[in-house]
Amino acid sequence: MNSQTINLKQLFEDKKVRTQAIIALLVLAMGFVLSIAGFVELQTIANERSYLQTQQHTEAQLKQVQTNIDISLDSLIEIAGLYYAAGDVSRSQLASYIASDTKYHSGTVALGWVPKVLGKNIAQFEAEMRQEDPNFSVYEVTGHGMPTPVSQKKASFPIKAIISPDNGSMKAGLNLASIASRQRVMKKAERIQTTAITQRISLYAGSQQFYGFQALHPVFDKNKLGQQQLAGFVVGNYDIQALIEDVFLADNQQLDIALYDANTANQQVLYSSTEQLSTVEQVKQQSRAHWTYALNVADQQWLMVVFPNTGMLVSTASWLPFLGLIAGSLITLLLTLYLFISLIKTRQLAQLSTDLAGTETQLDIQKQLKQKADKANRAKSGLLTAASHDLRQPLHTIGLLTTLLKDSKNKAERTQLIDNILAAVDGMNTMFISLLDISLLESNQLPTKKKHFYLQDVLDKLVIDFKAKANEKGLSFSSVETSACVVTDQILLGRILLNLLSNAFRYTPNGKVLLGCRRLEEHIRVCVLDTGIGLTEDAQNKVFETFYREKQAKQLSDQGLGLGLSIVQEASNLLELNMGMHSQLGKGSVFYVDVPYGDPALIGEIQIIKQQSPINKLIWVIEDDETIRYGLEKILQSWQCRIESLASGKETQQLLDNNSEIPDVIIADYQLINETGLDLVVRIREHYQQAIPVIMITGTADSQVRKLVEQAGCQFMMKPVKPEDLNKVLHQL
């Protein structure tokens, strides 16, 4: 501990070292300040955009409320059509219409028919109605709330039938004209010859009381002289709260809503989502930003005032791009600390070398220490070069994708950009760990971890990193997908391919770059092909040497110090992988590495998936591999599916013998032990005599198998299957 303290003190006594340290700290501090400033500015932009998006969303929802009101009130006109067609509206006709057309109308509590009955015909009307309802009578309510018989000296408007959408009958017989507020609305509807509504009133559905309104639509016919006369009214009861919350309930945390009647002198509040807006005066006293909209309800107009809760508008997703910047800053800080420690160790070795100078033995020791110091310096230089060579690409990718995210207004595109940013950050973090270990390559001390994995997982990350680079340089970049499973160190393999792609992009001024695979007998050959400057024969013999760069390459790009391909060779040797190249000056190059095949059954990792949308289906899973079957079950259960898991034809037959419920979808592996999934699917379909939808999953690339699957009317999917792709296919079935 004391030795380290003394050496650190001696180190800072060097004026040059102090100056370098101060400059580094200033640059680092400036970077953090600029990052925070950019973060604040982008957050402001995100808040403004979220505010505008919320306003647009609210306007769309208001249109939906208006549409729902119009549809609900149109039911009155359609019931009037029953009268014009048959001369009357019976209870059975009314019930049939309500059951078929109004069951899902927002806010509709009940619909009814109110005929006009002359006083002299009251007794006859009651007699006719008692054939269906023995307790029916025409009555009116006095000022004390007591029911009394109607006067037979004037016309009455008794409710003949009133029925709720759940086919529940409500008490009939009340003379609506006996209620003063209803009589005024009835006279207005008769005068304007269209639908008129009441103010907010208390309504009842069974024992439940709620605030709503009543709509009355006049129906006319002609007398013997051909004159138009009032025949009655179609009446509707509506729940105001249901009309609004059917559309706005999901936004109750983001929006405060108040609805009031603009036609009355007291401007009555019809609906409020919060107790703070229970009166019109409270609504008008609000100093918050708000939007005011008008709703047309028959002959009346309502005003809706919407207050956005700005603190709830910004989504978590808007913070994700900046996490990438923070992660990049942290990685830069760690790299700075590592280089600083390397500098301290180098100075320690140099100081020790000076102290041991003197005797012949000391000279030998000094020579050895100098060799170690030189090796440490080379390791430090290699680390600096590798950091410049490799970390720039994912940082540049994050910058490009963040800019695209800032300008994007499409939700699906923003989600994809965010996923790509996170993938680039993950790749950069993996590279940083690999950079710290790469200094051990030459000494063969870098620990490796070989495992079985799908090669496409490595290729996908590389495609994300280099797609934006290709667009920037105007190059054609493509990748050929593969379903091969390989066994080697996944991190070092990704590092090898990343270096090969970096060189291909750097020395290809125009044309194309291709990342592809070729299946050989014992291994798969991963190739990086470019149409760049190519190499001379002399350069091909030296290109894998440390710090070597051909003259033409230096003229084309001043980036890098020639470590990329030497790292590729050292890593390949460590992993015992064969690698090589073919190149032609002026036409391009092909670099390749051979990776041995792996066993998919030994991957042993259950993929962690993103939350997908629910499926809600009964699914039979036919898979003889227990690990894969378990993973499928967990994924499908997260989508709210009910699962029946089967491993063989014997278990399938037992399920059929038990007369199990017919599955909505079957997901089957094609290649089972001593049978195929297609054979079991045919047996299941024949048992139920139905063409049940089937997703057939297989790892074989045999075109004949795919042809057989598709001829059987099954959906074909090649392993590995991504959860998001499976979710999408299940929604399409």
Side-chain angles (χ1 to χ4, degrees):
M1 177 63 74
N2 293 335
S3 176
Q4 291 179 358
T5 304
I6 292 173
N7 289 330
L8 185 61
K9 181 178 179 181
Q10 292 175 348
L11 180 65
F12 278 97
E13 288 177 352
D14 189 328
K15 183 177 180 181
K16 184 177 180 180
V17 173
R18 289 201 306 272
T19 302
Q20 291 175 344
I22 292 172
I23 293 173
L25 290 174
L26 288 175
V27 172
L28 188 62
M30 186 178 297
F32 280 127
V33 171
L34 291 175
S35 297
I36 293 172
F39 172 81
V40 172
E41 182 63 24
L42 288 176
Q43 277 298 100
T44 302
I45 295 173
N47 289 341
E48 293 175 353
R49 179 174 297 171
S50 180
Y51 182 87
L52 293 175
Q53 289 175 346
T54 302
Q55 184 178 18
Q56 294 171 355
H57 179 63
T58 301
E59 290 174 354
Q61 289 179 301
L62 184 81
K63 291 179 181 179
Q64 182 62 48
V65 172
Q66 182 67 69
T67 300
N68 291 347
I69 291 174
D70 293 342
I71 291 174
S72 297
L73 293 179
D74 283 347
S75 299
L76 305 180
I77 300 175
E78 293 178 9
I79 294 175
L82 297 177
Y83 179 87
Y84 293 132
D88 192 13
V89 180
S90 66
R91 186 192 181 285
S92 60
Q93 288 177 319
L94 187 63
S96 177
Y97 173 80
I98 291 173
S100 61
D101 289 353
T102 65
K103 188 174 183 64
Y104 301 105
H105 285 191
S106 297
T108 300
V109 178
L111 297 174
W113 166 238
V114 180
K116 179 179 180 181
V117 181
L118 299 177
K120 62 182 181 179
N121 297 328
I122 291 295
Q124 181 182 351
F125 178 74
E126 288 180 331
E128 292 174 356
M129 293 302 299
R130 284 171 182 166
Q131 293 179 4
E132 295 183 9
D133 182 3
N135 297 320
F136 181 87
S137 63
V138 179
Y139 68 96
E140 57 188 32
V141 179
T142 67
H144 299 287
M146 298 297 295
T148 61
V150 298
S151 172
Q152 296 187 358
K153 295 181 180 181
K154 59 181 180 179
S156 298
F157 291 87
I159 298 175
K160 182 178 180 180
I162 183 165
I163 302 175
S164 62
D166 59 2
N167 203 26
S169 296
M170 302 175 70
K171 186 176 181 181
L174 173 65
N175 177 20
L176 280 185
S178 66
I179 304 175
S181 61
R182 305 297 195 282
Q183 188 179 39
R184 288 193 295 270
V185 176
M186 292 164 67
K187 287 182 177 180
K188 182 179 180 180
E190 181 181 6
R191 184 178 71 254
I192 64 177
Q193 296 189 3
T194 187
T195 306
I197 68 170
T198 66
Q199 297 180 14
R200 188 188 77 173
I201 58 176
S202 293
L203 295 172
Y204 295 86
S207 60
Q208 180 183 4
Q209 179 187 7
F210 57 90
Y211 286 120
F213 67 93
Q214 199 168 64
L216 294 159
H217 181 78
V219 178
F220 300 91
D221 59 9
K222 293 183 179 180
N223 59 20
K224 295 179 179 179
L225 298 177
Q227 298 174 331
Q228 184 171 270
Q229 62 182 10
L230 182 65
F233 293 90
V234 181
V235 62
N237 293 345
Y238 300 93
D239 182 356
I240 298 175
Q241 180 177 352
L243 281 170
I244 303 303
E245 293 187 351
D246 181 61
V247 176
F248 280 97
L249 183 60
D251 302 313
N252 58 356
Q253 293 185 347
Q254 294 187 353
L255 303 174
D256 289 337
I257 301 171
L259 179 70
Y260 63 91
D261 189 348
N263 303 278
T264 60
N266 59 355
Q267 294 188 327
Q268 188 178 35
V269 172
L270 304 174
Y271 169 79
S272 174
S273 63
T274 173
E275 294 181 357
Q276 299 176 355
L277 304 174
S278 57
T279 65
V280 176
E281 183 179 358
Q282 289 177 333
V283 174
K284 294 182 178 179
Q285 288 177 349
Q286 293 291 319
S287 60
R288 294 185 285 168
H290 63 276
W291 311 304
T292 302
Y293 306 99
L295 284 172
N296 296 316
V297 186
D299 63 323
Q300 305 293 327
Q301 188 178 71
W302 296 345
L303 291 182
M304 177 181 287
V305 185
V306 181
F307 298 88
N309 294 322
T310 55
M312 303 292 294
L313 296 183
V314 179
S315 63
T316 304
S318 64
W319 293 74
L320 293 180
F322 311 115
L323 294 179
L325 295 178
I326 294 173
S329 300
L330 290 175
I331 291 173
T332 303
L333 178 61
L334 291 175
L335 182 60
T336 303
L337 291 174
Y338 178 82
L339 294 177
F340 187 71
I341 293 172
S342 298
L343 180 61
I344 293 175
K345 294 296 183 183
T346 301
R347 290 302 180 102
Q348 288 176 344
L349 291 174
Q351 183 65 39
L352 182 59
S353 176
T354 301
D355 294 338
L356 293 176
T359 62
E360 201 172 21
T361 303
Q362 290 174 332
L363 289 174
D364 292 336
I365 295 175
Q366 182 181 13
K367 183 183 293 186
Q368 295 176 3
L369 293 175
K370 185 177 183 302
Q371 291 175 351
K372 292 181 180 180
D374 291 340
K375 186 175 181 180
N377 280 325
R378 286 196 302 271
K380 180 183 69 177
S381 299
L383 181 59
L384 285 169
T385 303
S388 173
H389 185 269
D390 295 316
L391 282 178
R392 183 181 289 110
Q393 174 61 36
L395 281 171
H396 184 61
T397 301
I398 291 173
L400 290 176
L401 294 177
T402 304
T403 301
L404 292 174
L405 180 64
K406 176 183 176 183
D407 298 332
S408 174
K409 296 182 179 180
N410 183 279
K411 184 177 180 181
E413 183 183 23
R414 286 173 62 85
T415 301
Q416 182 180 1
L417 289 171
I418 289 170
D419 290 341
N420 289 346
I421 289 172
L422 294 177
V425 170
D426 179 65
M428 186 170 61
N429 183 56
T430 302
M431 259 189 286
F432 177 73
I433 296 173
S434 191
L435 280 173
L436 297 179
D437 293 335
I438 206 66
S439 61
L440 302 174
L441 275 171
E442 293 182 355
S443 60
N444 199 27
Q445 295 180 5
L446 181 67
T448 60
K449 182 180 179 181
K450 293 185 179 181
K451 65 177 182 178
H452 299 259
F453 61 95
Y454 286 111
L455 180 59
Q456 189 61 41
D457 292 344
V458 176
L459 302 187
D460 284 343
K461 292 182 179 180
L462 293 170
V463 169
I464 291 173
D465 280 348
F466 285 91
K467 201 68 176 180
K469 180 69 173 179
N471 294 335
E472 182 185 25
K473 293 193 66 175
L475 298 177
S476 172
F477 176 49
S478 57
S479 172
V480 180
E481 294 189 356
T482 177
S483 60
C485 174
V486 296
V487 55
T488 187
D489 188 296
Q490 186 173 358
I491 295 177
L492 279 183
L493 177 61
R495 171 122 174 91
I496 290 171
L497 297 179
L498 185 140
N499 275 278
L500 294 179
L501 281 170
S502 296
N503 279 358
F505 275 84
R506 179 172 296 163
Y507 303 120
T508 304
N510 54 65
K512 66 179 182 179
V513 176
L514 173 66
L515 174 63
C517 304
R518 180 183 177 189
R519 289 180 179 266
L520 301 178
E521 184 175 354
E522 296 181 358
H523 52 259
I524 185 167
R525 176 163 291 180
V526 187
C527 305
V528 176
L529 179 146
D530 66 72
T531 59
I533 61 176
L535 295 168
T536 63
E537 290 184 3
D538 181 62
Q540 292 182 41
N541 296 326
K542 300 179 180 179
V543 71
F544 293 103
E545 295 178 6
T546 305
F547 301 111
Y548 176 81
R549 297 185 73 207
E550 192 183 26
K551 181 179 181 180
Q552 186 181 3
K554 292 180 180 179
Q555 293 174 348
L556 182 63
S557 174
D558 60 350
Q559 301 176 4
L561 295 176
L563 280 177
L565 291 178
S566 63
I567 292 174
V568 169
Q569 187 175 58
E570 291 293 336
S572 298
N573 292 339
L574 182 62
L575 297 176
E576 300 179 343
L577 302 179
N578 176 51
M579 60 88 56
M581 62 164 292
H582 304 292
S583 183
Q584 190 171 355
L585 186 64
K587 293 187 176 180
S589 306
V590 177
F591 288 84
Y592 64 86
V593 59
D594 297 333
V595 187
Y597 290 113
D599 186 355
L602 299 178
I603 292 179
E605 295 178 356
I606 301 173
Q607 186 177 12
I608 300 175
I609 64 168
K610 298 178 181 178
Q611 183 66 31
Q612 305 290 335
S613 56
I615 302 296
N616 295 318
K617 293 181 178 180
L618 172 59
I619 298 179
W620 286 13
V621 176
I622 304 177
E623 170 62 64
D624 55 1
D625 186 284
E626 184 177 357
T627 302
I628 297 176
R629 188 169 67 249
Y630 174 78
L632 266 176
E633 289 175 3
K634 291 301 180 183
I635 291 172
L636 294 172
Q637 287 171 356
S638 72
W639 298 338
Q640 300 178 16
C641 293
R642 293 173 293 141
I643 311 299
E644 287 288 353
S645 294
L646 310 168
S648 64
K650 181 179 179 181
E651 293 183 7
T652 302
Q653 190 59 48
Q654 290 176 351
L655 203 58
L656 295 176
D657 293 340
N658 292 332
N659 294 321
S660 298
E661 181 181 350
I662 301 175
D664 297 313
V665 180
I666 300 173
I667 300 177
D669 185 13
Y670 178 80
Q671 189 62 52
L672 304 174
I673 300 175
N674 300 325
E675 57 193 342
T676 69
L678 190 58
D679 295 335
L680 300 185
V681 166
V682 172
R683 189 191 307 175
I684 295 170
R685 285 177 168 177
E686 289 178 349
H687 177 83
Y688 289 112
Q689 295 295 305
Q690 289 189 22
I692 302 170
V694 175
I695 299 175
M696 191 66 63
I697 300 175
T698 180
T700 180
D702 190 343
S703 59
Q704 188 63 29
V705 171
R706 179 165 189 165
K707 184 177 180 180
L708 290 173
V709 170
E710 292 177 345
Q711 285 178 346
C714 303
Q715 179 74 37
F716 180 87
M717 297 190 77
M718 176 70 75
K719 293 181 179 180
V721 176
K722 296 181 179 179
E724 53 266 32
D725 293 339
L726 180 59
N727 186 278
K728 181 178 179 181
V729 172
L730 284 171
H731 272 292
Q732 293 172 349
L733 293 178

